[in-house]
Amino acid sequence: MNLCRKIVVISRYTNKYCEYGAVAFLVMMLLLVALQVVARYGFDEPPQWTEEGARYCMIWMGLLGATVSYYKREDPVLFTPSEEFLVKWRVPIKLVEFLAVVVFVLPIMYYGPSFVMRQAGRMTDTLGIDVGYTVLIIPLFSIIILVHATARLISTDKDEAHYTKEFY
Amino acid sequence: MQHWGRNIFLWCFFLQCMEGVILVRILFISCFLLLLVFASVSIPYITGSIATILFFFTGYEEFLAALPKRIFSQLDVFALMAMPLFILVGELMNRGGVTDALIRFSQLLVGRFKGGLGHTNVMTSVFFAGISGAAMADAAALSNTLVPAMRKQGYTSIYAAAITAASAIIGPIIPPSIILIFYGAVMGVDVSALFVAGIIPGLLLAILLMAANAFAAVRYDHPGGKKEDTPSFLPTIRRSFPSLMIPVIIMAGIMFGWMTPTEAAAVAVFAALLISYLYGQANLTMIGESLKKTISISGTIFLMIAAASCISFIATLTMVPQILSDFVISIGVSGNKFLLLLMVLFLVMGMVAETQIALVLVAPLLVPIAIAQGADPVHMGIIVCLNLSMGLISPPLGGVLLVTSTVAKVNYWSLVRSVLPFFLLEVALLVILILFPELTLSLPRSLDLL
Amino acid sequence: EKREEILISTSGNMDISKNGGHVWIKAFMESLKASEIAVNFYPGSSLGKDNARTDLVQLGIVQVNMTGPQEINPYSSVFYQLKMPFLFDSDTHFRKFWEKTDFIKHVNEELKDRNMRVVGYASLGGMTGLFNTSHGITKIEDLTGLRLRALDSIQLAIINSWGLQGTQVAWEEVAQALETGVVDGYINPPLVPIMFGHTNQIKYFTDIRLGVSQRVIVVAADWYQNLSRARKEAVDKAVVAGQLENARWERMMRTKEHRILQEAGIMIVPLTKEERQSFVDKTKAYFAQNQQSVVNNEVRDWIKDTRSGGMDK
Ligand code: NA
Ligand code: NA
């Protein structure tokens, strides 16, 4: 298997697990908020960490979800080109799209590690976990998006048709 | 020939007015933007990449290092949690038969009128407004439930999306309202007075939109108005009763202080699941699909919030809001003229900035001037909030438009175009509210809140 | 230093009549301008929430930031001790503690590798007291049945020590929580309900003087270290101007703020010395029992030394 194929396959599996992860965080968030409601009327002392836990679940769900919607091309566009236009300008379109993603996401990836280090060592208000772990999603998000973008750039039409069929 | 000469002269004048470098940069950004649009790059990535370039062009590139934290902290907001949960409610409602039941019920009520489902859309928004504090949640949930239903009945997708987006603005006007709470905090105005003041303008907005829908129904021959559109009375009531309990639970929970909107959204998820089970439509596949859809839609919305916050960051750093407000002050008009000028400015602000940033930066600079001229702070609050909320349905980056076009899968610019008549109607309402403060103030006054 | 101007950020919209923090910032900026130093000023959390602005300072791209003490606490165990209840008798006591002891030097030692340096604090006017929507609190028993909003785990412990349940509510949610009765009151400095428009719900204030309430002025440590001598002097002078003006405002507010509260329809409930002491005793006993006090001997000595009469010569 050559490198190009490898990246396409990595991107495909990454997306599969991102989707599972995002769904898990969504369910967890739902359960934590529900626990809050039950606790307020069921127990004497409602737990204080549910709100914070739910909030972090929301952020992880949201950014993992953003990688999924990128992979599945579900983000809104301002202009929907015709089939003919797409065929004619296929390569330039791919390049411009890759460029846009890189220009947005690269600074986030580049400054991600130092950001995580700055946040590390500080505890969250009620859960008492290191803030460094909670913000890991930011560099993670940028890396996943770059993997998907690279895969999309180098994949053939056949690849794209294949991975949309295989999983969805 | 003469025509060309004049153009060239104007261009030379234009060039002289600007420093060459700035002009080159503006040209570059414009070309890059066009390139991105025609390569059908999606909106969050257009916004984000333009932001990065702006950081370099304005000399604030060292602030790129702050973007990770900026993005994280813009998403780390308690109030946002209600959004994915309400999207999930919408997904479950659609797949579990709840939406169908509600639609049949509303058909029973207003189906006999032409454009009945359009009326239902607006009515549901009034009801949702009493549930949620933000327009975006309304737009997401209703685009997901009522737009497909309207499409099935024979409305065009674009009209269904447009009336959904336009009526989502009712959300932040009728209490509870996140924007009004924010205004109260920023301006030091009592929030409960603001809440009560929002009720009549919110209902007026609903009536106006229903009138527009009635007009459109005749003009475009929308479905409804025929006898067979009205379902039989008792079976419909029996079937829809459990579904109708969802909004009742949410409303009561919030109104009586049992739950926050987020908690109410979570309870609504379980209620929707239970009722789908009663309808015999709950199963693992349907739940799985709902969850997957929810994370993908939420993901798009979250990334748009993140990318927009990068743009507003650079706008703040370069003092764009201050420049705008200084300009307004420099014109030097007063009274209703000043209020109308403010309205125009806030419309522009709503177009280019995030609602909260616009509110927090411009309102404190300009609203006190209006108050000094005799305007009531509560009256101003409702005007400013409606005004800025309308930014959500105006181009280039209207949050509600983006959500609606994403969820309803319609072209963004077509949506912009078909929302325009409703938008103009809302501008008219705004002018009416400015000219007749009693519409806003009489209710809180009668309740001794002023 | 790439940029000529100093970037200054804070939360809240400039309101020097009610916000002591803004009084500080205004005097600070005016002094800088007098020294012909250009500033870019970003009020109203326009550069982000407290924790986002702290990040900007740590990066050194915003040089001066006014923020809540919660931004210092995670990095400074010395500073964290200020959160303990009933440490100080009055604002004056706290000011003396800040200015005359080595407290801030120790704090800055701990903050150094985070690129932060605390240069001053702004009093928000008065010490924290007890606000509620329901009835006047003249003794600890009057609290029965109230649900108080807790800011954090320490406030939660304080509320528990009075035999009550606390409910942790994010600040943005407090207005709605008061409105719907999720909470009946909170612990805050006197002007807070006015500043945030809670006067329609909040009706009673009891001046229990639980703790000090301040905003902290943080600068980027590397930037401050590398300032030219003239610029550093100008910055130091501006800090002193801020401290002085805020102290003056604090003294002025001492006579004014009760009137402002009354005018807003909030009743000031009288509290006898003995009744306040019963609050102090209950809380101290609870903290001792649960070993929650974190005040070390050094800080304890500084507090004792600066109590009225000490260090006056
Ligand atoms: Na609402
Ligand atoms: Na609607």
Side-chain angles (χ1 to χ4, degrees):
Chain A
M1 202 159 54
N2 65 20
L3 184 65
C4 288
R5 281 295 307 158
K6 249 183 214 159
I7 292 175
V8 172
V9 170
I10 288 172
S11 156
R12 190 187 303 168
Y13 277 96
T14 306
N15 179 63
K16 194 172 146 187
Y17 290 111
C18 281
E19 189 166 38
Y20 291 151
V23 165
F25 280 116
L26 176 62
V27 171
M28 215 140 64
M29 171 185 141
L30 174 66
L31 293 178
L32 284 173
V33 177
L35 179 65
Q36 218 169 315
V37 184
V38 174
R40 183 163 306 154
Y41 298 101
F43 306 126
D44 275 348
E45 189 142 358
Q48 299 293 334
W49 48 268
T50 49
E51 190 240 291
E52 194 178 275
R55 224 172 51 227
Y56 289 125
C57 285
M58 164 185 74
I59 299 169
W60 279 71
M61 179 277 294
L63 287 175
L64 287 179
T67 68
V68 175
S69 66
Y70 174 81
Y71 183 90
K72 292 190 189 174
R73 292 184 180 273
E74 290 189 338
D75 294 328
V77 295
L78 290 172
F79 166 72
T80 320
S82 66
E83 203 59 42
E84 201 181 321
F85 184 92
L86 274 176
V87 173
K88 193 172 171 195
W89 298 97
R90 192 176 161 274
V91 176
I93 284 177
K94 274 191 161 194
L95 283 172
V96 169
E97 208 209 342
F98 183 72
L99 183 73
V101 173
V102 167
V103 169
F104 176 31
V105 170
L106 201 62
I108 299 170
M109 189 170 93
Y110 180 78
Y111 292 112
S114 59
F115 159 64
V116 172
M117 291 320 291
R118 282 198 306 283
Q119 299 296 305
R122 181 174 175 162
M123 298 297 146
T124 66
D125 295 335
T126 55
L127 281 171
I129 46 174
D130 197 309
V131 177
Y133 292 119
T134 67
V135 301
L136 266 179
I137 183 62
I138 297 281
L140 196 61
F141 160 80
S142 61
I143 292 166
I144 296 169
I145 288 288
L146 281 179
V147 169
H148 288 334
T150 313
R152 195 180 281 181
L153 180 71
I154 61 180
S155 66
T156 58
D157 284 344
K158 223 163 73 196
D159 282 325
E160 289 212 25
H162 179 67
Y163 55 67
T164 37
K165 218 177 283 157
E166 188 172 340
F167 288 103
Y168 310 104
Chain B
M1 212 46 218
Q2 201 186 354
H3 173 76
W4 271 104
R6 201 174 124 244
N7 268 359
I8 289 167
F9 173 76
L10 278 176
W11 264 109
C12 292
F13 181 72
F14 184 58
L15 277 169
Q16 269 189 334
C17 289
M18 280 202 235
E19 229 179 295
V21 184
I22 296 180
L23 187 73
V24 168
R25 284 173 181 181
I26 290 175
L27 277 175
F28 180 87
I29 294 256
S30 313
C31 294
F32 188 64
L33 184 62
L34 276 179
L35 204 60
L36 296 180
V37 170
F38 282 110
S40 62
V41 175
S42 60
I43 293 167
Y45 298 91
I46 293 184
T47 316
S49 54
I50 295 279
T52 305
I53 295 172
L54 283 173
F55 275 96
F56 281 103
F57 280 6
T58 52
Y60 283 95
E61 63 274 10
E62 75 267 30
F63 278 78
L64 284 172
L67 286 190
K69 178 68 192 181
R70 172 87 180 176
I71 289 171
F72 190 85
S73 102
Q74 291 283 316
L75 298 179
D76 188 12
V77 175
F78 178 83
L80 265 185
M81 249 191 289
M83 191 195 282
L85 291 179
F86 273 123
I87 293 174
L88 182 56
V89 172
E91 291 293 332
L92 291 170
M93 280 169 77
N94 279 346
R95 292 183 168 83
V98 176
T99 308
D100 284 343
L102 280 180
I103 287 163
R104 225 168 299 153
F105 180 74
S106 51
Q107 267 177 288
L108 186 68
L109 285 183
V110 283
R112 77 201 72 207
F113 306 113
K114 216 163 166 45
L117 217 45
H119 290 311
T120 312
N121 192 324
V122 180
M123 264 172 58
T124 316
S125 273
V126 173
F127 211 52
F128 255 86
I131 299 166
S132 102
M136 303 278 262
D138 285 22
L142 293 193
S143 308
N144 217 4
T145 51
L146 278 164
V147 173
M150 288 175 79
R151 200 182 291 147
K152 212 156 55 179
Q153 272 219 343
Y155 289 79
T156 60
S157 298
I158 200 75
Y159 181 81
I163 190 138
T164 304
S167 57
I169 302 305
I170 299 170
I173 308 302
I174 288 182
S177 161
I178 292 165
I179 305 182
L180 284 177
I181 291 174
F182 215 74
Y183 175 89
V186 168
M187 298 299 301
V189 177
D190 178 47
V191 176
S192 40
L194 284 169
F195 273 9
V196 174
I199 293 175
I200 289 178
L203 292 176
L204 275 179
L205 178 52
I207 291 168
L208 270 182
L209 290 174
M210 281 175 135
N213 179 62
F215 176 78
V218 176
R219 182 149 175 215
Y220 302 113
D221 194 23
H222 283 158
K226 283 165 285 170
K227 204 144 196 133
E228 53 268 41
D229 269 2
T230 313
S232 50
F233 185 77
L234 263 180
T236 309
I237 296 279
R238 205 179 304 133
R239 174 114 179 138
S240 57
F241 181 76
S243 298
L244 285 169
M245 289 328 289
I246 300 180
V248 173
I249 293 167
I250 297 172
M251 280 281 241
I254 296 172
M255 299 252 269
F256 298 115
W258 301 331
M259 304 180 273
T260 64
T262 304
E263 291 171 346
V267 171
V269 169
F270 288 103
L273 271 175
L274 179 71
I275 292 164
S276 311
Y277 176 75
L278 289 181
Y279 289 158
Q281 297 192 29
N283 56 55
L284 279 179
T285 323
M286 161 263 195
I287 294 172
E289 277 172 5
S290 301
L291 290 168
K292 279 184 179 181
K293 198 83 217 260
T294 303
I295 60 119
S296 167
I297 297 173
S298 312
T300 299
I301 296 171
F302 273 49
L303 194 61
M304 285 198 275
I305 295 173
S309 81
C310 299
I311 289 269
S312 71
F313 198 24
I314 191 70
T316 307
L317 284 168
T318 50
M319 305 268 174
V320 169
Q322 275 92 328
I323 293 167
L324 269 179
S325 65
D326 287 350
F327 171 71
V328 169
I329 293 168
S330 73
I331 295 176
V333 289
S334 64
N336 277 343
K337 270 189 205 146
F338 180 73
L339 291 185
L340 292 172
L341 185 69
L342 269 193
M343 184 190 88
V344 174
L345 177 89
F346 279 127
L347 283 178
V348 175
M349 278 303 290
M351 284 177 177
V352 296
E354 232 176 311
T355 314
Q356 295 202 341
I357 290 286
L359 189 58
V360 87
L361 285 178
V362 182
L365 294 172
L366 295 175
V367 173
I369 302 173
I371 291 170
Q373 291 174 358
D376 184 281
V378 171
H379 178 219
M380 288 305 295
I382 301 300
I383 290 174
V384 168
C385 291
L386 175 58
N387 214 332
L388 288 177
S389 300
M390 283 164 59
L392 296 169
I393 56 164
S394 61
L397 277 181
V400 163
L401 290 179
L402 289 174
V403 170
T404 309
S405 71
T406 310
V407 180
K409 294 222 179 326
V410 294
N411 179 277
Y412 181 80
W413 290 106
S414 316
L415 182 59
V416 167
R417 230 181 2 254
S418 27
V419 158
L420 189 68
F422 297 116
F423 182 80
L424 293 177
L425 211 58
E426 288 173 10
V427 173
L429 175 65
L430 200 54
V431 174
I432 292 171
L433 290 178
I434 288 175
L435 298 180
F436 303 100
E438 278 311 301
L439 288 173
T440 314
L441 297 177
S442 54
L443 196 57
R445 204 166 274 156
S446 70
L447 290 171
D448 257 358
L449 286 165
L450 283 179
Chain C
E1 200 186 346
K2 182 198 157 202
R3 217 168 271 288
E4 264 299 298
E5 64 274 15
I6 299 176
L7 272 56
I8 302 171
S9 67
T10 180
S11 58
N13 300 286
M14 281 309 268
D15 177 2
I16 52 165
S17 63
K18 291 174 217 134
N19 191 324
H22 295 162
V23 172
W24 198 104
I25 286 281
K26 184 165 179 274
F28 176 75
M29 290 202 299
E30 273 168 7
S31 171
L32 283 181
K33 272 173 201 159
S35 310
E36 291 183 339
I37 291 181
V39 299
N40 273 7
F41 179 49
Y42 302 99
S45 299
S46 52
L47 291 188
K49 295 183 277 194
D50 275 6
N51 60 25
R53 299 200 315 278
T54 296
D55 194 49
L56 297 176
V57 172
Q58 291 183 333
L59 282 165
I61 51 185
V62 162
Q63 288 79 40
V64 183
N65 179 34
M66 189 166 71
T67 186
Q70 82 283 351
E71 294 303 309
I72 310 300
N73 291 328
Y75 309 125
S76 167
S77 60
V78 182
F79 199 90
Y80 182 76
Q81 298 174 30
L82 295 186
K83 280 173 71 143
M84 291 299 120
F86 299 117
L87 291 182
F88 299 96
D89 300 340
S90 64
D91 319 320
T92 326
H93 180 195
F94 178 67
R95 195 168 286 278
K96 216 195 244 174
F97 166 84
W98 185 288
E99 283 168 1
K100 305 235 160 139
T101 69
D102 281 343
F103 169 72
I104 211 62
K105 206 190 269 173
H106 279 63
V107 171
N108 282 333
E109 202 52 47
E110 289 180 299
L111 292 178
K112 212 165 58 189
D113 44 316
R114 295 279 172 176
N115 195 23
M116 289 155 80
R117 182 186 173 91
V118 175
V119 292
Y121 81 93
S123 157
L124 296 178
M127 297 178 74
T128 50
L130 198 56
F131 287 97
N132 84 88
T133 58
S134 150
H135 56 268
I137 308 293
T138 54
K139 51 187 186 302
I140 212 160
E141 289 77 26
D142 294 340
L143 286 169
T144 315
L146 286 187
R147 272 188 295 188
L148 295 182
R149 177 249 177 181
L151 166 76
D152 53 26
S153 57
I154 291 187
Q155 267 199 5
L156 202 63
I158 295 167
I159 293 166
N160 289 341
S161 78
W162 301 334
L164 296 182
Q165 295 298 332
T167 307
Q168 222 159 351
V169 178
W171 182 244
E172 299 77 30
E173 298 270 309
V174 165
Q176 202 174 349
L178 288 169
E179 175 86 20
T180 54
V182 169
V183 296
D184 309 307
Y186 52 53
I187 298 164
N188 260 318
L191 290 172
V192 161
I194 313 267
M195 268 153 68
F196 292 92
H198 300 159
T199 51
N200 229 62
Q201 291 91 43
I202 294 285
K203 290 290 166 222
Y204 302 92
F205 174 64
T206 307
D207 189 13
I208 59 169
R209 278 175 288 131
L210 181 77
V212 287
S213 61
Q214 80 281 66
R215 301 290 280 169
V216 187
I217 295 87
V218 186
V219 302
D222 285 349
W223 165 80
Y224 181 81
Q225 215 62 55
N226 298 327
L227 281 174
S228 70
R229 196 158 151 196
R231 258 168 104 84
K232 195 181 242 170
E233 267 168 17
V235 170
D236 288 342
K237 201 174 119 196
V239 167
V240 172
Q243 290 291 113
L244 284 176
E245 190 56 23
N246 176 255
R248 198 190 59 76
W249 177 85
E250 183 187 65
R251 278 195 302 278
M252 184 191 77
M253 269 305 164
R254 220 168 280 157
T255 55
K256 258 193 176 173
E257 64 196 5
H258 283 192
R259 208 183 64 225
I260 294 175
L261 284 179
Q262 278 159 341
E263 276 167 7
I266 296 177
M267 194 181 149
I268 316 261
V269 183
L271 182 75
T272 64
K273 212 173 171 187
E274 293 72 34
E275 289 302 339
R276 178 181 183 257
Q277 195 55 44
S278 70
F279 275 94
V280 178
D281 293 343
K282 268 239 160 117
T283 304
K284 291 216 159 144
Y286 184 91
F287 273 69
Q289 190 191 340
N290 294 289
Q291 287 159 358
Q292 270 181 322
S293 180
V294 293
V295 182
N296 67 23
N297 288 335
E298 198 172 27
V299 172
R300 203 183 300 278
D301 284 345
W302 289 335
I303 293 173
K304 212 163 72 198
D305 290 345
T306 48
R307 197 153 265 147
S308 58
M311 277 201 177
D312 263 345
K313 343 71 303 207

